[in-house]
Amino acid sequence: MRSDKLSEERIGEILAILDELKASGASAEVFAQSHGVSYGQLRGWLSHAPP
């Protein structure tokens, strides 16, 4: 079993960030830069998030 699974709390935080991204209307790259998140990490979250 993987030991690097995300906690329920962290998953909630990530989903909140993705909701904020969608509501902002900004590009993922600009949003990532302005929120101190890696663009690659943000793209990974987007690719694994529920639709």
Side-chain angles (χ1 to χ4, degrees), residues 20 26-37:
E20 188 178 344
S27 73
E29 188 171 8
V30 169
F31 182 88
Q33 289 175 347
S34 66
H35 285 78
V37 178

Side-chain angles (χ1 to χ4, degrees), residues 8-29:
E8 295 280 329
E9 182 179 335
R10 184 63 179 147
I11 291 171
E13 292 169 357
I14 291 168
L15 291 174
I17 291 168
L18 295 180
D19 286 343
E20 188 178 344
L21 165 62
K22 291 174 185 173
S24 75
S27 73
E29 188 171 8

